[in-house]
Amino acid sequence: AINHPERVGRLVAISGSLRPNGIGDEAVAWLESASDDEFREITTRGMTWRPDWPTPSPAFYGRMRRLFATEPDISAADLQRIAAPTLVMGGDHDMVTLDHLIEQFQGIPGAQLSILPDTTHYLTSEQRALLHSQILHLLPARYPEAEGTAPATGPPRPPAPRPLDAPRHPPPAAP
C-alpha cells in the first residue's frame, strides 16, 4: 500500500505496529524473557495450520522473534502515502497499544478505526463474526458492489476478497 499503491484497492490493517515499540512494555519484556517454547506456543495461538502445510521450523520462530524486536519502521510520511480506503483494527486488550493504533488511524488519510471489545491480539479467531461485520461495513461505502450493486463508472476493481474461513489453496486432486 505504501510502495505500490496501484496494487491495493483497499486495506484492512489488523493489530499491526509501525515500530517495535508499538507493542506495550509488558509485551516487550515478555518477548525478551520468554523461552523458545513459550514464544512458539503464544505466537501460534489462534492460528490454524492445514494438514498439508509444513510445520514451521524452530528457525522460523527465531526469525519471527527477531522481526518483532527490530521491525517494522514505518514513518508518518509513509502512512500519508497510503491511498487505499483503510480500516485499522485492533482489540481492546491487544498487545499493540491503543495509542499506536490511533497513530495509524490518524496518519492514513481517510482511514477508519475499529477497536473490538473483549479481544486480544488474536481478534481474527476470538471475534470472527464481529471482525467480518466491521470489514464488510467498510467495503459497501467505498465499493457498492459488496452489497450487490456494481458502480456505473470508475477504475477496474480488484477481485473480491476470499472469505476468512475459506481455504487458501484448492484441495489436492484425487488420485
Side-chain angles (χ1 to χ4, degrees):
I2 293 170
N3 295 325
H4 297 283
E6 72 283 358
R7 295 182 181 178
V8 180
R10 58 193 170 265
L11 175 65
V12 179
I14 300 176
S15 294
S17 62
L18 303 173
R19 297 172 299 282
N21 70 354
I23 61 175
D25 293 339
E26 184 177 314
V28 170
W30 180 83
L31 275 173
E32 293 170 350
S33 66
S35 71
D36 290 344
D37 287 339
E38 289 171 319
F39 181 78
R40 183 173 44 256
E41 190 275 322
I42 292 294
T43 55
T44 58
R45 185 174 53 155
M47 292 182 184
T48 303
W49 297 101
R50 286 183 29 158
D52 58 329
W53 289 354
T55 301
S57 69
F60 166 82
Y61 292 104
R63 288 190 305 270
M64 196 171 174
R65 186 187 287 219
R66 283 190 301 281
L67 174 78
F68 287 169
T70 62
E71 296 184 28
D73 186 14
I74 300 171
S75 70
D78 289 336
L79 292 177
Q80 286 290 315
R81 293 178 20 216
I82 297 175
T86 301
L87 175 61
V88 176
M89 299 185 81
D92 63 347
H93 298 292
D94 207 313
M95 70 181 214
V96 177
T97 66
L98 183 57
D99 287 343
H100 204 72
L101 293 167
I102 291 170
E103 180 182 348
Q104 294 171 57
F105 160 66
Q106 291 176 335
I108 300 170
Q112 296 181 40
L113 177 64
S114 176
I115 304 299
L116 279 60
D118 301 319
T119 308
T120 70
H121 190 65
Y122 301 97
L123 62 157
T124 58
S125 59
E126 293 173 347
Q127 294 276 11
R128 187 169 292 201
L130 183 56
L131 176 92
H132 284 199
S133 72
Q134 292 293 305
I135 291 170
L136 293 176
H137 180 75
L138 168 71
L139 300 182
R142 304 266 171 53
Y143 298 100
E145 68 273 29
E147 289 188 324
T149 58
T153 61
R157 294 224 339 101
R162 174 181 59 81
L164 294 178
D165 56 352
R168 290 177 185 242
H169 307 285

